[in-house]
Amino acid sequence: MTLDFSIPILVVDDYQTMIRILRNLLKQIGFREIDDAPDGSTALTRLRSRPYGLVITDWNMQPMTGYELLRHARAEETLRTTPFIMVTAESKMENVIAAKNAGANNYIVKPFTLHTLRAKIEAVLAR
């Protein structure tokens, strides 16, 4: 599948190291326009101010989790169809089910590889 590397991507994580890792992986894949946010609240503000082609968000953050961010986005008409990939260190099946039920397009468990990230992005953007 050919990816559109010009789409803007929003990376949401409360750990700067994880943002740097994701940013570097996304650049290796070929994406050029990558913004970031340290939590769900900041991300929601960014999502409301500009359209993104993909959001990659951590699950566990404060004051607003990635799960809460996803639920807010799915409740807003203009954000409802924005693709979301949830990232977490927890592989609990109930979290995967909750994310899917809330409208996540895909789910990645840490640690993951460049190949895994690319495959998840391709699966989401092919839909």
Side-chain angles (χ1 to χ4, degrees):
M1 173 195 174
T2 304
L3 291 172
D4 178 2
F5 296 117
S6 68
I7 67 165
I9 297 176
L10 180 61
V11 175
V12 188
D13 202 300
D14 54 347
Y15 288 107
Q16 268 311 119
T17 302
M18 194 65 208
I19 286 176
R20 270 194 308 276
I21 290 168
L22 278 165
R23 184 181 288 277
N24 288 336
L25 291 172
L26 289 166
K27 284 181 180 177
Q28 286 178 50
I29 292 169
F31 292 101
R32 299 178 301 275
E33 219 178 315
I34 306 159
D35 291 339
D36 61 74
D39 59 66
S41 299
T42 306
L44 191 56
T45 300
R46 294 217 170 106
L47 283 165
R48 288 172 175 153
S49 68
R50 121 174 244 211
Y52 286 93
L54 176 64
V55 176
I56 300 173
T57 183
D58 186 36
W59 182 292
N60 296 309
M61 298 176 289
Q62 293 298 325
M64 182 189 288
T65 67
Y67 178 73
E68 292 166 331
L69 168 62
L70 175 63
R71 292 189 64 216
H72 281 284
R74 292 299 181 247
E76 293 188 25
E77 187 65 37
T78 58
L79 302 177
R80 187 167 289 145
T81 60
T82 303
F84 266 75
I85 296 176
M86 299 289 296
V87 179
T88 185
E90 299 177 30
S91 59
K92 294 180 193 166
M93 187 51 75
E94 59 264 22
N95 285 6
V96 175
I97 292 168
K100 283 288 186 190
N101 288 342
N105 300 86
N106 221 316
Y107 195 90
I108 300 176
V109 178
K110 297 176 195 173
F112 55 89
T113 64
L114 174 68
H115 175 75
T116 300
L117 179 61
R118 184 182 178 105
K120 297 285 186 172
I121 291 171
E122 286 176 348
V124 166
L125 297 182
R127 293 181 184 154

